[in-house]
Amino acid sequence: MTETPNPFPQLFLRLTLSVTMLSAVADRFGWWNKESSAWGNMANFKIYTRQLTSFLPEALSTFSAYSATFFEILFPLMLILGFKTRIAAYGSSILLLIFALSMTISLGAKAPLDYSVWVGSAGALMLAVQKQYSFSIDQLTQKKI
């Protein structure tokens, strides 16, 4: 028996969270074919964001669409590289939690369940509380005591 933890489930979680979020961004940029797209372009995504954030002023809803897109690019790249992984994981968890709550308020409980947004948020939170991050820039730059 060994005391060494298996690093692969953690790496798998980092990569799947990242790919999932980047796929949604690719959809907004029109990089998926029309049959596979939910939005197909940023204009449609802004309309969808307006639907999810109808309780906000329109300018804030538009800001939400662009800021969500920014963070859905930033956090996955950080997770893939394993750079400031804890910050990226907490950020991803909070971002997905905001999506889940907005979807629940605006569309009902089924939508975030169908898209596993709650699971993504919980997975990111589980990643955030790890003691160390294997296969990462964080691991390479960690100070040895």
Side-chain angles (χ1 to χ4, degrees), residues 64-106:
S64 297
Y66 285 107
S67 60
T69 300
F70 172 78
F71 287 116
E72 277 184 284
I73 294 170
L74 178 65
F75 293 147
L77 293 178
M78 291 171 70
L79 290 173
I80 289 168
L81 295 172
F83 177 72
K84 303 290 184 185
T85 308
R86 183 164 284 109
I87 292 168
Y90 274 123
S92 296
S93 181
I94 292 167
L95 183 64
L96 290 167
L97 180 62
I98 291 168
F99 290 161
L101 291 171
S102 296
M103 290 173 82
T104 301
I105 291 167
S106 300

Side-chain angles (χ1 to χ4, degrees), residues 6-24:
N6 183 346
F8 292 104
Q10 181 193 105
L11 178 63
F12 183 60
L13 181 55
R14 278 180 28 215
L15 295 177
T16 55
L17 283 169
S18 299
V19 170
T20 300
M21 287 192 285
L22 290 173
S23 176

Side-chain angles (χ1 to χ4, degrees), residues 124-139:
L125 186 58
M126 287 292 296
L127 183 61
V129 299
Q130 299 301 301
K131 291 181 183 180
Q132 61 182 6
Y133 300 101
S134 301
F135 307 109
S136 67
I137 291 174
D138 293 340
Q139 183 183 35

Side-chain angles (χ1 to χ4, degrees), residues 110-126:
K110 188 175 183 311
L113 293 172
D114 285 353
Y115 290 105
S116 300
V117 184
W118 294 109
V119 173
S121 179
L125 186 58
M126 287 292 296

